[in-house]
Amino acid sequence: MILEAILLTIKPNENNAYEENFKQASELIKRAKGYITHELHKCVENENQYILLIKWETYDNHMVDFRNSEDFVEWRRLLHDFYDPKPQVFHYHQVY
């Protein structure tokens, strides 16, 4: 299992619109090959910062299967204009 962790900063005053679009985008990622689960958390100290945690069966399920899908094109359309700066994406495997 791979945990994808994405640090997101949303443009000021865009939180409500972002969260609404994220609900729509969530339906897209749920259909992806190797998808397990995902969670979006809003930062307590900075209301424009979020962290998105996505569990995948394999690294390639995210980087190859999902990123090369039509659903990813729609995911980007729904979400990527909200980000400033560009999201930081990291992948982790469990060691303990």
Side-chain angles (χ1 to χ4, degrees):
M1 192 265 318
I2 295 295
L3 175 64
E4 177 189 3
I6 308 107
L7 183 60
L8 308 165
T9 303
I10 306 303
K11 295 173 185 172
N13 304 311
E14 296 287 335
N15 299 69
N16 290 338
Y18 174 73
E19 290 176 20
E20 283 300 314
N21 278 27
F22 188 85
K23 289 177 189 175
Q24 295 176 40
S26 288
E27 296 306 312
L28 299 168
I29 201 167
K30 288 178 184 178
R31 301 191 300 224
K33 178 181 177 183
Y35 164 86
I36 299 171
T37 188
H38 72 283
E39 302 173 357
L40 180 67
H41 298 263
K42 188 174 185 178
C43 183
V44 173
E45 294 84 7
N46 178 350
E47 69 177 15
N48 294 327
Q49 190 173 71
Y50 295 78
I51 190 164
L52 174 57
L53 304 171
I54 307 171
K55 291 183 180 177
W56 298 95
E57 290 179 12
T58 70
Y59 177 81
D60 283 349
N61 288 148
H62 173 231
M63 296 302 293
V64 177
D65 300 323
F66 183 59
R67 288 221 171 179
N68 289 315
S69 72
E70 289 299 316
D71 282 342
F72 182 68
V73 172
E74 181 66 4
W75 171 276
R76 287 184 63 102
R77 187 191 71 75
L78 287 168
L79 301 176
H80 281 239
D81 286 342
F82 289 102
Y83 305 136
D84 186 28
K86 183 179 172 182
Q88 294 180 293
V89 180
F90 302 96
H91 297 88
Y92 300 87
H93 60 90
Q94 188 172 359
V95 294
Y96 180 76

